[in-house]
Amino acid sequence: PPPQGTPQVVALPMEPFGAALLKSSAAAVAIAAGALCLRSLLSPSPAAADLSARAAKARASRDAARDAYKRSRLVAPWPAPSDHSPAAENMRHICSLNATALLEEMTAGRLTSVQVMRAFCSRALHVGERLDTNAQECFADALAAAEEADSARAAGRPLGALHGLPVSVKDQLDMAGCDSTCGLQVRCGAPAEHDSLLVKLLRDQGAIPFVRSNVPQCLMLPESANRIWGAARNPWDASRTPGGSSGGEAALVAARASPLGIGTDIGGSIRIPAHFCGVFGFKPTPDRISNRGVAVPRPGNRPSGQIAVKSTAGPFGRSVADLRLVMRAWLAGGGMSDSDVTSPRAGWAEAEPGKPRGRLRFGLLATDSFFDPSPACGRAVSEAAAALEAAGHEVVALPGEFYEAALLYVSLLAAEGGLQGFIDGLEGEELLPMYSFLLRIASLPALLRPALRWALRHLLGQPRMADLVHAGRRHSVHEYWRAISRRDVLRAELIERRGARLQLGAREGRLFTPSRREQVARAAARRARVPRAGRARLPTRAEHQAQPGLLVHLPVEQLPLPRRYRAGDDGARRRAALLVRLLRHPLRQRQGGGGRLGRPARRRAGGRFGPKGPPRPPSNGPPAGRRAGGGVAVAGRALPRGDGCPRGGPPRRREAARDHAAGAV
């Protein structure tokens, strides 16, 4: 059990990322210490006594309510491991079910909402006292709502898709009569007057919020600790952190103390805790979910003004079906967009019952090229990819080209300099020691920053930390606008690259990556040993070496056509031109040397392959139906080197090749 009195906030282990940052911060701390001390001397010392008193009062109120629950037996104590009575086994059985199964049991009449609520209130109280996962507990109101839900069910009045289901809520979303502290002492004793829109939509579907979960101070740490409710702990190992900023929420769901939870995410606040605690979490696309009634750690709960990287709310659960329950409650029926006109009217597309979903495509990001995952994490991702492929789905390896994007993320969030927004929101409370490294980096004087960056890169051999020091500087308005512009450019480039790969996917619209080109070619050849219309036919390496003249057949009538071929051409000429373009693409096959079929891809002197180009593959002489000069054979006829592609030969030769190809088709 945690010590009585003021909670001791300690940084729990978070290997390897946190340790690496702390170990590499020695130089930054030494250089920034003088500037930070000077700043603290010049700033007036905050009157923190009143803030501490507010926090102590909120904590005492919660603890007094806990004692009242125990004395009145309103919330029964969680059974000991040695207790195997029917009542104890029933409570364990209820808490072992996920949200989807609980709804089925209550709909069938095998469980009542009061039984379910009593079990989860008992479990949440038990877990909260030991792991500091709970901020505020609304057990009395929740049990009263559960009784009303049972009465409505008995009268044949269903309340919605979540009729009588307990739900936990992060201490950031407003609930009438509860504080939304965001981990700030100044927010204690200021209860919200109304529910946030997201909580209201859940209540409209019959859900019953019963506990509010712990968060970090200012909501910007990968763990969950503050001076009000203490430091939340991981249910799998109490010496570890559950992550953050929605760490209390993930810990409650993982400890079977809540069947369904609501968190928020801006830079991993749902995904990190879900990973640390082994539960399901979902971050919807920003702006798809309303932020009305979601508190922010700024003075007066006013918007921060930081809109370059947006936060969004999302669900926690024990299965994908549980997450679907929340998203359907929010989006189905248009209630969110009707109440908040800034939310898109996206709606909810329900899958037809019993209809097979078919083959799905999953992107696999092995690394982001900024911070490599630990071997255990990499192994878990590989095992998940293997399981998806074994189930018949497609797994696409994505290139990890996100180093610049990671630095840009830091640059946008730190643009104001000195963590000024957080300090303003604290309104006199001191930042936790966990922020000390970020504060020192953000508060470095502009004159010291280039020297520290050079030392980290050239003397200490830490180029990534050097880049972070540069990215974490205070930005001028011009620099901030330029960073926003660069964000938009990176986003457009990513979408364009993805779209280009989708166009090369032929029948199945696959996303191809350089590391999978040869495997894709071989798989296509195995699928089409006997070529026929509409099937891909790509030769293997052995087939190409034995028969270099082997033709390639592509389902051109099913491919999306480039815009340049849409106007002024009939369908046959467009398909022929696209066919030739695809035959020339490096994806076509690597065994041909990387260039056109049977012709190694050469670069000009000084290019990638040097003046002589790559080594030529073995050949048995010029194939039948092709010119020795390296043209492309289409339907048994040879094309000149200017084969109708945008970059192949002069315009006149391209037009001639296109006409030639159209006649061949």
Side-chain angles (χ1 to χ4, degrees), residues 230-247:
R233 296 169 174 82
N234 196 304
W236 299 102
D237 183 350
S239 67
R240 300 274 176 173
T241 175
S245 64
S246 306

Side-chain angles (χ1 to χ4, degrees), residues 333-493:
M336 180 180 296
S337 54
D338 290 342
S339 301
D340 183 0
V341 296
T342 63
S343 299
R345 191 175 290 275
W348 175 261
E350 190 69 51
E352 297 182 16
K355 183 178 180 180
R357 288 187 169 276
R359 195 164 182 250
L360 302 178
R361 181 186 297 117
F362 294 86
L364 172 64
L365 187 64
T367 179
D368 60 2
S369 73
F370 182 77
F371 203 100
D372 291 333
S374 66
C377 291
R379 183 172 62 252
V381 172
S382 299
E383 290 174 354
L388 290 170
E389 289 182 326
H393 300 294
E394 180 183 1
V395 176
V396 181
L398 302 177
E401 303 167 355
F402 295 97
Y403 189 91
E404 182 182 359
L407 293 177
L408 192 60
Y409 167 80
V410 175
S411 180
L412 291 171
L413 291 183
E416 62 184 353
L419 302 182
Q420 193 59 48
F422 293 161
I423 294 175
D424 293 343
L426 290 168
E427 299 188 39
E429 181 186 353
E430 293 184 3
L431 276 171
L432 290 180
M434 303 172 197
Y435 282 107
S436 59
F437 171 71
L438 295 176
L439 179 60
R440 290 180 180 123
I441 292 298
S443 303
L444 274 175
L447 294 177
L448 291 180
R449 204 173 287 271
L452 176 58
R453 184 186 182 192
W454 184 90
L456 287 170
R457 182 179 297 277
H458 299 287
L459 299 182
L460 300 179
Q462 298 185 28
R464 180 176 56 206
M465 185 58 64
D467 291 337
L468 284 173
V469 167
H470 178 67
R473 70 191 186 281
R474 185 190 301 271
H475 285 52
S476 66
V477 174
H478 174 68
E479 289 175 327
Y480 182 70
W481 286 353
R482 191 166 56 186
I484 294 288
S485 173
R486 184 56 185 161
R487 179 205 63 180
D488 295 342
V489 169
L490 288 178
R491 179 185 298 167
E493 290 177 352

Side-chain angles (χ1 to χ4, degrees), residues 537-553 583 588-589 591-593 595-600 616-628 630-634:
R537 182 66 174 97
L538 298 178
T540 63
R541 184 186 299 273
E543 290 173 334
H544 175 72
Q545 293 176 354
Q547 189 181 357
L550 189 64
L551 294 182
V552 176
H553 302 271
L583 287 175
R588 183 184 18 65
Q589 58 180 359
Q591 55 265 38
R596 304 174 190 174
L597 265 176
R599 175 188 173 197
R616 294 177 179 270
S619 175
N620 297 329
R626 298 178 65 256
R627 291 175 48 187
V632 180
V634 177

